[in-house]
Structure formats: C-alpha cells, structure tokens
Amino acid sequence: MIEDLPAPPGPGRPKDPAKREAILAAAQSLFLNNGYEGSSMDAIATEAGVSKLTLYSHFKDKEALFAAAVKATCETRLPRKLFLLEEGRSIRQVLLELGQAFHELANSPESIGLHRVMVTMATQNPALSRMFYDAGPQLLLQDLEQLLGEAHAQGLLHVPAPAHAAEHFCSLLKGGVHFRLMIGYDDALDAAEACRHVDEVVTLFVRAYAPLSSH
C-alpha cells in the first residue's frame, strides 16, 4: 500500500546526495528488521535524520524507496566493473570474481532476510514482489546475460542462449546452502568453503560452455 504523499517540494534546490544515501541506509535497515509493512516513511525519515518532506523529495512513495534500496544493495555488492571483460583478465578470472561477489551477496544475512520478507509479501502484495525482482535479481541477470553474450561474441565461451546460461550460473552459485539458510537449517559457508564452492562452479560452467573448438 502506498502511503499518503505530502505536497511536492518547490523547484530550484538540488537534492543532497548525502541525504539520499542516509535515506537508503535507513530504509535497508528498517525493511530488513521490521519488514515492509512494519517500516513507515515516518520511521525511515527519523532513522535517516531527515524531514519527511526531504524524504519525499527523493522518493515519491515507499514502494519506490524499497525498489531503490534493493537496487542500491545489489550495485554496492555487485559493482559494474565485475561485469566487464577487460584485457588481461581471462573469462575464468572474471567469472570467479563475479561468482565470489554474487555468492557472498546471495547468502549474506541481509539478502536472506530480504528474501524472507518477500516470501511473506508474495501473497499479500504481489506487485511489490515483482518490483523487488525487477530492481534486484532481474537487473543482475540482465547484466550477466550481456557479459556472457560478449564472451560468446569474442569466442571466449560458446553461449548461444546467454539468458539461460545466466540463470544456470546463478543457480549453481547459490547451491544447496542458500535454501538451507532460507529456512534456518544451516549456517553460511566459511570463507574457504565458499571459495572452493565458487571455484568448482566456475570450473563446471566454463567446461560446459567451452568454445566449440576446444571440445
């Protein structure tokens, strides 16, 4: 449900990026700790140390703020540079670095908590669930699809269906531990176990999508 909006602020004054960051940080904290419905715009403004007017000058409603918080989390943990094919870096090295960052994000307490919130909201607010998916997982898959498409074009991998391959890669990286974390059955892998898991996934993936000339 969208909360009532106050009158929009007058034009002319530029938005303060530091306040925007404070708002996003407060939103991330409250959404995770109190859930979506339990986090009001008033509470987020108070946590961020800004007025409600300032809050609404940056985000038109709570749904827009939620989507921005999800997107910001993904961009912080999975920066754009991880999706670039740069000279001097093999495709295996690119996938290892990306895989490690994705595995850490997907299985982090913050991500697990957010996914639990969305499972709760799935039947109550399916529009919000779609907004969450579009702002986070979908953007990640699109970036990964583009990366794999470029690797295919350069002959580094044979990936005729990069969208499917992107989903394969993410699913392999999550592994069984992600579901066990979701239901509180197990603890996260330690650093050594996580590195070994990502290395095994990348080895399998590169072998499965090796250029045809290397088969």
Side-chain angles (χ1 to χ4, degrees):
M1 182 178 68
I2 300 176
E3 297 185 10
D4 293 337
L5 277 65
R13 176 172 294 183
K15 296 181 176 65
D16 185 343
K19 289 183 178 179
R20 178 184 173 87
E21 292 302 313
I23 293 168
L24 285 172
Q28 289 168 322
S29 175
L30 291 180
F31 284 140
L32 285 175
N33 292 325
N34 302 333
Y36 180 80
E37 296 293 350
S39 303
S40 69
M41 292 294 265
D42 282 329
I44 293 170
T46 299
E47 179 75 13
V50 302
S51 68
K52 197 170 181 182
L53 186 64
T54 297
L55 176 57
Y56 278 107
S57 75
H58 286 271
F59 302 99
K60 66 177 184 178
D61 54 47
K62 189 165 74 167
E63 291 183 350
L65 176 54
F66 179 76
V70 171
K71 185 177 181 181
T73 299
C74 292
E75 290 176 346
T76 299
R77 302 292 291 270
L78 291 168
R80 284 294 311 152
K81 64 181 181 179
L82 292 177
F83 295 88
L84 300 178
L85 291 175
E86 298 176 330
E87 189 174 350
R89 296 173 70 220
S90 68
I91 186 62
R92 176 179 172 79
Q93 186 60 37
V94 171
L95 293 176
L96 277 172
E97 293 177 10
L98 178 57
Q100 190 65 48
F102 174 80
H103 185 268
E104 290 177 3
L105 171 60
N107 294 323
S108 68
E110 297 83 5
S111 180
I112 294 298
L114 186 56
H115 278 77
R116 287 172 177 163
V117 169
M118 297 319 304
V119 169
T120 302
M121 295 300 298
T123 55
Q124 302 174 25
N125 192 341
L128 183 68
S129 297
R130 289 191 292 271
M131 184 179 293
F132 161 75
Y133 185 81
D134 290 342
Q138 184 61 47
L139 289 181
L140 163 65
L141 287 171
Q142 289 172 352
D143 287 342
L144 184 53
E145 177 185 355
Q146 182 176 346
L147 167 65
L148 295 176
E150 291 173 359
H152 178 78
Q154 295 183 28
L156 303 174
L157 295 172
H158 179 68
V159 192
H164 293 167
E167 293 200 0
H168 297 162
F169 189 59
C170 291
S171 296
L172 287 169
L173 285 169
K174 282 185 175 181
V177 69
H178 184 263
F179 178 72
R180 294 194 293 274
L181 287 170
M182 283 285 292
I183 63 173
Y185 180 84
D186 205 353
D187 295 324
L189 302 178
D190 63 31
E193 291 172 330
C195 285
R196 184 165 55 250
H197 169 71
V198 172
D199 186 78
E200 290 173 352
V201 167
V202 171
T203 297
L204 177 63
F205 188 85
V206 170
R207 184 183 303 152
Y209 289 101
L212 293 178
S213 59
S214 65
H215 280 286

